[in-house]
């Protein structure tokens, strides 16, 4: 009975692992599509005149902009976070498409009147001059996040190819795929807003995947070894937070309601990052295996450098909306590089796999060579004649039999 239970449990884990692999493949394909389409939408948006400030999907100004004054960003200096864009030249707008339709017939150097609705209910008109979106801002808000997105996506596919059968490999690929969506769709989030929903979901899943990674890498905790469903709780929490944010995401009657939903997600990611750092700190001190200790110390250094600046911003953002700089994404690239180095550096230490394969190939070699020797000797005795070892008929027949026997 115990053996049957073990076999059933192994089959269950195998089926679940295969399902999770296919789900992750679909998620990675989604990430690729989001990154590619975001580039297309962004390039098309930059061909139009720039209004002078970024606005969210509910047309509220989000406070993201350059630190130094710039004529191209004149509107950014005249509005506050939470104020809503309601009309351009007296023509009401309710989406990014409405704004693009109006600006499509305009050119840099022209003046437009922007109607701004404050949170207190007052309206005012701000006159701004249109400019082309500045090159320096293109680099900061579009080029850098897009390059980082490609790096995260490559890391996800790379580790998935190496360790897709392991929980750690799947958790890492889920995390980096989510980061690819978050960075790749960042510019879209502040311009044309096609991927606001999936950006929110990827943000929340990244926190869950990072916490899951803390449970299984560099070593899987004993509590989740026989209870694999415990690894999924953090991802489920992230999905629940995203679903909760969806309920207020497009509430135009209360255009700032979604901010609180995003803040909960930011807090969740920050807690997951701290948990990952704390878990590796524990392994670096108390792990019994010296290999795990070395891995944990390497990962800890990379995680501290990668996550601390972003965690600080996330905690601040949990309490109050603040200006986000895409440069905060730059240190995060150290994390997949550190994980990749750790996997390659210590891959040769997986002696159990090496020994198992070595024994298997040695036994197969003995069986093949010994079987062929017996076949040739037996044929010689049977036919009362000497049979050469390199007889083409025997070689061909033997290989044919082996092929039939070993075909799955």
């Amino acid at each position: 009975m115990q053996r049957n239970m073990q076999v059933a449990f192994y089959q269950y884990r195998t089926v679940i692992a295969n399902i999770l692999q296919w789900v992750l493949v679909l998620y990675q394909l989604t990430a690729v599509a989001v990154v590619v389409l975001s580039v297309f939408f962004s390039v098309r948006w930059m061909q139009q005149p720039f209004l002078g400030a970024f606005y969210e999907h509910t047309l509220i100004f989000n406070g993201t902009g350059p630190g130094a004054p710039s004529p191209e960003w004149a509107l950014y200096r005249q509005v506050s976070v939470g104020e809503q864009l309601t009309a351009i030249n007296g023509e009401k707008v309710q989406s990014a498409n409405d704004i693009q339709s109006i600006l499509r017939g305009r050119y840099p150097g022209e003046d437009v009147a922007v109607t701004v609705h404050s949170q207190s209910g007052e309206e005012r008109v701000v006159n701004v001059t249109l400019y082309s979106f500045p090159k320096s801002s293109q680099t900061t808000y579009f080029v850098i996040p897009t390059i980082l997105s490609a790096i995260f996506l490559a890391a996800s596919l790379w580790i998935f190819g190496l360790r897709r059968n392991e929980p750690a490999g799947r958790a890492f690929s889920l995390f980096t795929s989510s980061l690819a969506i978050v960075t790749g769709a960042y510019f879209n989030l502040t311009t044309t807003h096609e991927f606001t929903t999936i950006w929110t979901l990827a943000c929340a899943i990244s926190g869950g995947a990072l916490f899951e990674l803390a449970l299984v890498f560099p070593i899987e905790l004993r509590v989740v070894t026989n209870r694999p469903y415990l690894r999924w709780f953090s991802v489920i929490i992230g999905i629940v937070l995203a679903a909760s944010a969806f309920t207020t995401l497009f509430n135009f009657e209360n255009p700032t309601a979604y901010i609180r939903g995003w803040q909960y997600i930011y807090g969740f990611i920050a807690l997951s990052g701290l948990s990952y750092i704390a878990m590796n700190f524990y392994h670096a001190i108390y792990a019994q295996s010296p290999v795990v200790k070395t891995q944990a110390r390497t990962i800890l250094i990379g995680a501290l450098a990668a996550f601390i600046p972003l965690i600080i911003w996330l905690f601040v953002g949990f309490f109050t909306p603040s200006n986000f700089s895409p440069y905060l994404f730059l240190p995060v690239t150290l994390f997949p590089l550190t994980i990749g180095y750790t996997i390659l550096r210590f891959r040769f230490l997986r002696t159990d796999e090496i020994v198992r394969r070595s024994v298997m190939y040695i036994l197969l070699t003995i069986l093949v060579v010994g079987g062929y020797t017996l076949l040739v000797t037996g044929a010689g005795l049977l036919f009362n004649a000497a049979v050469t070892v390199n007889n083409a008929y025997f070689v061909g027949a033997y290989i044919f039999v082996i092929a039939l026997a070993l075909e799955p």
Side-chain angles (χ1 to χ4, degrees), residues 37 44 73 79 100 123 158 176 178 199 208-209 237 240 272 352 379:
L37 290 175
R44 189 175 63 177
W73 289 86
V79 295
Q100 291 181 68
E123 282 193 350
W158 173 42
T176 47
S178 299
W199 184 91
I237 291 173
V240 170
S272 297
D352 56 339

Side-chain angles (χ1 to χ4, degrees), residues 267-334:
F268 176 60
I269 298 173
L271 289 175
S272 297
L274 289 177
S275 299
Y276 189 79
I277 291 173
M279 193 67 70
N280 278 276
F281 182 78
Y282 173 82
H283 291 319
I285 297 177
Y286 297 107
Q288 295 180 354
S289 169
V291 174
V292 173
K293 277 188 176 181
T294 305
Q295 285 180 313
R297 289 168 185 168
T298 304
I299 295 170
L300 182 62
I301 295 173
L304 286 171
F307 294 137
I308 289 300
L310 187 60
I311 287 174
I312 293 174
W313 184 90
L314 289 170
F315 269 124
V316 173
F318 176 75
F319 296 102
T320 179
S322 55
N323 187 1
F324 179 81
S325 172
Y327 288 108
L328 288 172
F329 287 137
L330 284 174
V332 183
T333 56
L334 295 173

Side-chain angles (χ1 to χ4, degrees), residues 142-367:
F142 171 65
V143 176
I144 291 177
T146 302
I147 293 175
L148 296 181
S149 177
I151 293 174
F152 292 138
L153 197 56
S156 174
L157 297 172
W158 173 42
I159 298 301
F160 183 77
L162 289 177
R163 291 196 167 186
R164 61 183 175 275
N165 295 318
E166 303 175 17
R170 293 193 294 269
F172 179 84
S173 295
L174 181 62
F175 176 65
T176 47
S177 294
S178 299
L179 284 182
I181 294 175
V182 170
T183 53
Y186 171 74
F187 191 69
N188 181 270
L189 188 73
T190 58
T191 54
T192 55
H193 314 123
E194 287 86 0
F195 300 117
T196 299
T197 301
I198 194 169
W199 184 91
T200 303
L201 179 63
C203 232
I205 289 179
S206 67
L210 184 58
F211 189 86
E212 179 186 357
L213 191 61
L215 298 177
V216 297
F217 191 78
I219 186 172
E220 187 174 41
L221 296 183
R222 187 175 301 175
V223 69
V224 299
T225 300
N226 296 324
R227 301 176 182 86
Y229 53 85
L230 293 178
R231 298 194 301 262
W232 312 329
F233 278 167
S234 58
V235 178
I236 293 174
I237 291 173
I239 294 174
V240 170
L241 288 175
S244 176
F246 292 160
T247 60
T248 57
L249 202 56
F250 297 98
N251 186 354
F252 286 89
E253 294 181 0
N254 186 6
T256 60
Y258 73 93
I259 294 178
R260 196 56 191 163
W262 279 5
Q263 288 176 325
Y264 287 136
I265 294 174
Y266 296 159
F268 176 60
I269 298 173
L271 289 175
S272 297
L274 289 177
S275 299
Y276 189 79
I277 291 173
M279 193 67 70
N280 278 276
F281 182 78
Y282 173 82
H283 291 319
I285 297 177
Y286 297 107
Q288 295 180 354
S289 169
V291 174
V292 173
K293 277 188 176 181
T294 305
Q295 285 180 313
R297 289 168 185 168
T298 304
I299 295 170
L300 182 62
I301 295 173
L304 286 171
F307 294 137
I308 289 300
L310 187 60
I311 287 174
I312 293 174
W313 184 90
L314 289 170
F315 269 124
V316 173
F318 176 75
F319 296 102
T320 179
S322 55
N323 187 1
F324 179 81
S325 172
Y327 288 108
L328 288 172
F329 287 137
L330 284 174
V332 183
T333 56
L334 295 173
F335 180 70
L337 295 177
T338 302
I339 296 293
Y341 167 78
T342 304
I343 289 175
L344 294 179
R345 172 67 177 82
F346 294 97
R347 202 176 181 191
F348 70 93
L349 293 171
R350 300 180 63 189
T351 55
D352 56 339
E353 181 72 10
I354 296 174
V355 170
R356 186 182 68 83
R357 288 182 176 271
S358 299
V359 171
M360 179 181 68
Y361 283 118
I362 290 172
L363 290 176
L364 284 175
T365 302
I366 292 174
L367 289 173

Side-chain angles (χ1 to χ4, degrees), residues 30-49:
T30 302
V32 172
V34 169
V35 172
V36 173
L37 290 175
S38 292
V39 172
F40 171 75
F41 291 134
S42 299
V43 171
R44 189 175 63 177
W45 180 87
M46 286 186 289
Q47 293 174 352
Q48 298 180 359

Side-chain angles (χ1 to χ4, degrees), residues 374-387 394:
L374 291 175
L375 178 64
V376 172
T377 304
L381 294 175
L382 181 64
F383 296 106
N384 254 337
V387 179
F394 278 103

